[in-house]
Amino acid sequence: MLYFQDTKNASIAASVNHSPIRLQPEDKISILVNSKDIQLTNLFNLPYVTNRLGQTTTSLNSNNTNGVSGYTIDSSGNIDFPVVGQLHIAGMTRMEVASFVKNKLISENLVKDPVVTVEYMNLQVSILGEVSKPGRYNIVQDKITILEALSMAGDMSIYGKRDNVRVIRNENGKQKTYTINLCSASEVFDSPVYYLQQNDVVYVEPNAMRTRQATVNGNNVRSASFWTSMVSVLTTVAIFCINYL
């Protein structure tokens, strides 16, 4: 049940390489431009999402964007930004996009003092298997570790295999599966999936006991009810044989 069983009094000094989240096609982000000239910067901001009553509302997929519409990156890695036109942002981090847009506005003399804020809107990870709250969870920060993701899901249940957690990741159009041993700190910190990426699937495999429990049913030879029924039938047959044979 223990995590990091190989640690003792800071015996392991691991150097974890931060792998920042980089934007990919189909990712959705919000980009807000602010400056002293509000009327000018409004030209570069998409309209707010409105409901049928004309009131502003917040999209279900947004995090803290206060109802602002977002940009979905196309298959070529571009977005169509107001006034400026197409911008290629695939492969950039959130901060790099903010800096890129800011420099673009300044270099083209569109805004002198822009403040650009970029937020994720639909970036998520899926957590499945033996956790308390399986589901899809939003990514609201530039980095998220597998430990933080499991925390959001209420931690692993007592039936989860801590030495064989799987992370399924799409790399260059192909699904690749990694395994990570949470019982070993050195393996966790050295793992390429210690930092998760958008659309990663974390799967906590059930242990043997849980598997047996899950497969038990009325037609399974492992079922306690099955054996109870068998004993009852055999007892009835034995009594019949004793009394009538």
Side-chain angles (χ1 to χ4, degrees):
M1 298 297 297
L2 296 177
Y3 295 98
F4 312 136
Q5 297 176 16
D6 54 352
T7 58
K8 184 178 180 181
N9 296 327
S11 59
I12 296 179
S15 177
V16 180
N17 294 321
H18 174 207
S19 179
I21 292 175
R22 296 190 175 276
L23 295 170
Q24 305 171 2
E26 305 303 325
D27 287 347
K28 187 175 183 179
I29 59 174
S30 68
I31 302 177
L32 294 179
V33 179
N34 291 292
S35 75
K36 295 179 181 178
D37 191 337
I38 298 178
Q39 290 185 342
L40 178 61
T41 54
N42 282 341
L43 296 174
F44 304 98
N45 293 326
L46 293 180
Y48 280 66
V49 179
T50 58
N51 59 24
R52 294 180 180 178
L53 299 177
Q55 300 170 335
T56 60
T57 185
T58 303
S59 171
L60 291 176
N61 288 328
S62 65
N63 296 319
N64 291 308
T65 52
N66 295 323
V68 176
S69 298
Y71 301 88
T72 300
I73 303 173
D74 64 23
S75 59
S76 300
N78 302 321
I79 60 171
D80 192 9
F81 196 71
V83 182
V84 177
Q86 281 200 339
L87 298 176
H88 185 78
I89 63 171
M92 294 184 181
T93 65
R94 180 172 61 168
M95 298 305 295
E96 288 172 347
V97 173
S99 178
F100 177 55
V101 173
K102 177 179 180 178
N103 293 334
K104 193 76 173 177
L105 295 175
I106 294 176
S107 64
E108 296 188 8
N109 295 317
L110 296 172
V111 184
K112 294 182 179 179
D113 56 344
V115 176
V116 181
T117 304
V118 178
E119 298 289 348
Y120 303 130
M121 295 188 74
N122 73 335
L123 274 62
Q124 298 177 324
V125 295
S126 298
I127 308 173
L128 307 174
E130 288 299 325
V131 293
S132 298
K133 298 179 292 184
R136 291 178 62 85
Y137 291 86
N138 289 336
I139 298 175
V140 296
Q141 55 200 45
D142 293 321
K143 59 180 181 179
I144 179 173
T145 69
I146 189 170
L147 301 177
E148 292 171 322
L150 290 172
S151 297
M152 292 188 297
D155 200 3
M156 300 167 60
S157 74
I158 60 174
Y159 299 107
K161 281 188 176 181
R162 284 157 175 76
D163 60 350
N164 191 33
V165 177
R166 301 177 188 177
V167 177
I168 304 171
R169 175 173 294 172
N170 188 312
E171 294 183 350
N172 301 318
K174 297 182 179 179
Q175 297 292 333
K176 188 170 183 179
T177 301
Y178 296 88
T179 59
I180 184 169
N181 180 7
L182 297 182
C183 296
S184 171
S186 58
E187 289 188 36
V188 170
F189 297 139
D190 288 337
S191 173
V193 293
Y194 175 69
Y195 284 104
L196 298 178
Q197 301 291 327
Q198 64 269 48
N199 303 319
D200 278 356
V201 177
V202 179
Y203 173 65
V204 180
E205 184 179 355
N207 59 22
M209 178 182 294
R210 186 59 156 178
T211 301
R212 285 194 297 270
Q213 291 177 351
T215 56
V216 165
N217 56 64
N219 297 318
N220 194 310
V221 294
R222 301 180 193 177
S223 172
S225 60
F226 172 84
W227 288 112
T228 301
S229 299
M230 286 296 296
V231 170
S232 177
V233 170
L234 292 175
T235 301
T236 302
V237 172
I239 294 173
F240 177 82
C241 293
I242 292 172
N243 293 333
Y244 297 100
L245 294 181

